Amino acid sequence: MINSTQLAARFRARVVEMSHAAGTAHLASSLSCMDIVAVLYHSVLRLDPLNPGWKDRDRFILSKGHAATALYAALAWKGFLTEEQLESYGRAGSLLEEHPSPKLEGVEAATGSLGHGLPCGCGIALAGHIKKEQYRTFVLMSDGECNEGSVWEASMFAAANRLGALCAFVDFNKWQATGRSREVLALDPLVDKFRAFGWEVHEIDGHDHQQILQSVQDVSPSRQKPTMVVAHTVKGKGVSFMEDDNNWHYRIPTAEEVQLAKAELGVL
Amino acid sequence: MRNVFAKTVTELSDIYPELVMLAGDIGNRLFDSYKARHPDRFYNCGVAEANMTGVASGLAASGMRPITYTITPFNTVRCLEQIRLDICYPDLPVIVVGTGSGLSYAGLGATHHSMEDIAILRTLPNMHIVCPADPVEVRLALHDALRLGRPTYIRLGKKGEPVIHSSDPDFRIGRGITIRNGSDVAILGVGNMLATALQSAEQLNHHGVSAMVASLHTIKPLDEELLAGIFSLHKLVIVLEEHSLIGGAGSAVLEWGSLNRVDLRKLICFGGPDRFLYACGEQREARASVGLTSENISQQILSRLQEPDAPWS
């Protein structure tokens, strides 16, 4: 069976192709969070693509909805989407829009406007708490997203209600659309902030699959604190000429660049 | 209205094990009975309405039936995007309840007035807008909103509104309720303006004008059958609402009438002006300052009936 590292490389190649074919932006945002997405879908999330509404499933919310291609690649691999559906990404009439639609199976929340995923994740986790269910809820945010006040409202809510089955990631790639996320607003010290807000906080290398896996192993309804994983990442990770270059927040790769990227990723 | 609201959700929470109350740090003691019966289904979400609305969406997506509750402007325009994207876009069964709507909290100043909420929320796809007229309609509206299971905004006054219905009317979201029959004019009272509508009708009666009165408790979807009937049978159709004239129930009727080619010269809308209210005063004074009194309304109706170029003359 394919391991999560191979899977992440395959997903990366796929999203580069998708960005080129559909002419859509936010490629570097998809690449930075890809290891987290790959580990979660490969080794963590309990899901049943034949029964997408299974009540005991783990929930995953891509709160940074602009990285939709990362989610679509994972949903297709897992079997929630067909290869034909994945091919339709960005085409007129397709349900695979540039931000995840609530009409798609496997999508737990409509995201794209930042700051919505964590409050919604709190509600899902709270429902599990009320009904004494064992599922876990995972939310993946961007660092720029932490500009939104609703993230901090939700952080206080999750701690107050001891949502131990809730786990959030910050894909801390140090960039937002137009600048360094540490400079646009005073984001640092991000780890201390979430710790002060009452979360169990792990600070990890967001490209190290073992660290990603370890950071979520204790997430459980029996815990008294929600878990925040501040994952240090590189925007555009995996394609040397995109890494840490914020032009790739919006740039679309040419056919030649797609081939170069795939060669680097070892996916041909 | 709010006491009946608290009593009703307490009763409904016994029937609906999925019902969850989310409050925005208001209603101290109001929900004591609810909390005593269902401590695991009441959450004070603090002064954080955006999060409260998002939490409601997550609950609803997980099979629960949440109701969010706080002062109207904070539970509507403050968290508008959460209502739009988290509730309406996925079409989730969340009930958003605003308390102290319109000019109910006139004395607290414009921060607490809510004269724009209907206009703004009714533009959202999937949303239902319900404005109960009295405590009886509050109870029935909650029952029906839970039956409906769609995004629903319930616009409450505050405490102390008079009971208008002596017995339970047939209440369905989207269907108005005729309160009194009359042949000359039809007055549609929206929410807590229904009492004023009835007073206006009584005053018109003293002048020999027969006025039909209905509770137009649902602004979206509109009761098209009711509207078609009154526009064909009555000389004038009057809409009364404690809401801005821009975009509210009157506008909704105008839009419907334009689409359905009825004679819109018959329509008179009474509501609030396109300005903030700055002066001190309680609901009564605030209403008087914008012409929302039965005396002004009945006088204007009488004047219109006497116009020589009226559509019926």
Side-chain angles (χ1 to χ4, degrees), chain A residues 131-164:
Chain A
K131 294 192 279 189
K132 299 184 170 50
E133 289 174 352
Q134 293 303 305
Y135 67 78
R136 300 161 299 169
T137 304
F138 297 88
V139 178
L140 174 53
M141 301 187 288
S142 69
D143 47 354
E145 181 170 7
C146 295
N147 293 180
E148 293 283 1
S150 55
V151 169
W152 303 98
E153 291 183 8
S155 293
M156 287 187 280
F157 182 90
N161 290 286
R162 300 175 182 175
L163 299 178

Side-chain angles (χ1 to χ4, degrees), chain B residues 43-117:
Chain B
Y43 295 89
N44 183 349
C45 294
V47 194
E49 297 81 9
N51 180 63
M52 176 165 72
T53 308
V55 167
S57 78
L59 286 165
S62 310
M64 308 303 283
R65 302 298 299 275
I67 299 174
T68 66
Y69 176 80
T70 190
I71 297 172
T72 302
F74 315 144
N75 211 19
T76 55
V77 294
R78 170 83 186 213
C79 49
L80 176 63
E81 200 196 54
Q82 278 72 23
I83 296 175
R84 174 175 177 262
L85 292 180
D86 301 350
I87 298 173
C88 292
Y89 184 27
D91 199 2
L92 289 170
V94 176
I95 301 174
V96 174
V97 177
T99 187
S101 303
L103 298 170
S104 297
Y105 289 137
L108 299 183
T111 52
H112 286 59
H113 300 172
S114 184
M115 299 292 273
E116 310 87 13
D117 50 310

Side-chain angles (χ1 to χ4, degrees), chain B residues 272-309:
Chain B
D274 182 20
R275 61 179 168 84
F276 289 104
L277 304 185
Y278 293 98
C280 285
E282 296 306 319
Q283 187 174 29
R284 182 191 180 90
E285 289 85 9
R287 281 186 176 185
S289 76
V290 298
L292 286 175
T293 61
S294 59
E295 292 79 12
N296 178 56
I297 290 159
S298 55
Q299 195 52 52
Q300 295 221 27
I301 293 169
L302 286 171
S303 301
R304 184 69 70 90
L305 284 170
Q306 287 155 10
E307 284 176 9
D309 61 343

Side-chain angles (χ1 to χ4, degrees), chain B:
Chain B
M1 286 190 185
R2 70 181 187 204
N3 293 336
V4 166
F5 169 74
K7 185 168 182 285
T8 306
V9 292
T10 305
E11 290 162 4
L12 285 168
S13 64
D14 294 340
I15 304 168
Y16 288 89
E18 309 86 11
L19 195 153
V20 182
M21 266 301 298
L22 304 176
D25 202 31
I26 64 160
N28 191 27
R29 310 305 303 270
L30 187 63
F31 298 104
D32 279 359
S33 171
Y34 180 108
K35 287 188 264 190
R37 278 153 83 162
H38 302 290
D40 60 332
R41 287 193 276 135
F42 183 93
Y43 295 89
N44 183 349
C45 294
V47 194
E49 297 81 9
N51 180 63
M52 176 165 72
T53 308
V55 167
S57 78
L59 286 165
S62 310
M64 308 303 283
R65 302 298 299 275
I67 299 174
T68 66
Y69 176 80
T70 190
I71 297 172
T72 302
F74 315 144
N75 211 19
T76 55
V77 294
R78 170 83 186 213
C79 49
L80 176 63
E81 200 196 54
Q82 278 72 23
I83 296 175
R84 174 175 177 262
L85 292 180
D86 301 350
I87 298 173
C88 292
Y89 184 27
D91 199 2
L92 289 170
V94 176
I95 301 174
V96 174
V97 177
T99 187
S101 303
L103 298 170
S104 297
Y105 289 137
L108 299 183
T111 52
H112 286 59
H113 300 172
S114 184
M115 299 292 273
E116 310 87 13
D117 50 310
I118 295 173
I120 292 167
L121 292 187
R122 79 183 179 87
T123 63
L124 302 178
N126 295 327
M127 183 53 104
H128 297 68
I129 312 281
V130 185
C131 308
D134 77 343
V136 175
E137 288 194 15
V138 170
R139 174 167 50 80
L140 298 174
L142 272 166
H143 277 267
D144 208 42
L146 280 165
R147 173 198 63 82
L148 184 68
R150 302 281 307 282
T152 305
Y153 168 49
I154 298 182
R155 186 184 203 247
L156 302 183
K158 52 178 180 179
K159 64 176 180 181
E161 279 87 358
V163 172
I164 292 170
H165 297 283
S166 53
S167 61
D168 282 6
D170 179 16
F171 188 102
R172 285 270 157 164
I173 289 173
R175 201 187 300 161
I177 302 168
T178 301
I179 310 289
R180 99 181 233 165
N181 292 312
S183 54
D184 294 322
V185 302
I187 308 178
L188 303 176
V190 175
N192 57 2
M193 287 301 287
L194 184 61
T196 307
L198 286 164
Q199 288 160 10
S200 304
E202 202 52 45
Q203 289 159 9
L204 289 168
N205 191 43
H206 293 149
H207 290 85
V209 174
S210 168
M212 173 269 200
V213 175
S215 169
L216 190 69
H217 54 70
T218 305
I219 311 307
K220 188 183 177 185
L222 276 175
D223 186 342
E224 301 191 27
E225 197 179 324
L226 172 74
L227 292 175
I230 58 177
F231 270 96
S232 70
L233 293 173
H234 293 85
K235 295 174 184 170
L236 290 176
V237 173
I238 295 98
V239 180
L240 303 187
E241 58 187 316
E242 200 176 75
H243 181 279
S244 171
L245 281 170
I246 300 174
S251 294
V253 173
L254 262 170
E255 290 158 16
W256 171 86
S258 167
L259 202 62
N260 290 279
R261 301 185 184 183
V262 301
D263 189 345
L264 286 169
R265 289 175 300 170
K266 291 182 174 186
L267 181 65
I268 313 177
C269 299
F270 289 92
D274 182 20
R275 61 179 168 84
F276 289 104
L277 304 185
Y278 293 98
C280 285
E282 296 306 319
Q283 187 174 29
R284 182 191 180 90
E285 289 85 9
R287 281 186 176 185
S289 76
V290 298
L292 286 175
T293 61
S294 59
E295 292 79 12
N296 178 56
I297 290 159
S298 55
Q299 195 52 52
Q300 295 221 27
I301 293 169
L302 286 171
S303 301
R304 184 69 70 90
L305 284 170
Q306 287 155 10
E307 284 176 9
D309 61 343
W312 54 86
S313 59

Side-chain angles (χ1 to χ4, degrees), chain A residues 55-99:
Chain A
K55 75 176 180 59
D56 297 326
R57 72 191 185 280
D58 288 329
R59 273 68 163 179
F60 174 74
I61 297 174
L62 181 75
S63 193
K64 46 174 287 182
H66 54 287
T69 53
L71 176 63
Y72 295 156
L75 289 176
W77 175 74
K78 202 75 185 172
F80 287 94
L81 301 175
T82 63
E83 192 56 34
E84 289 75 24
Q85 282 178 299
L86 196 60
E87 285 287 326
S88 77
Y89 166 69
R91 291 191 198 146
S94 169
L95 283 180
L96 274 70
E97 302 174 83
E98 285 188 55
H99 296 94

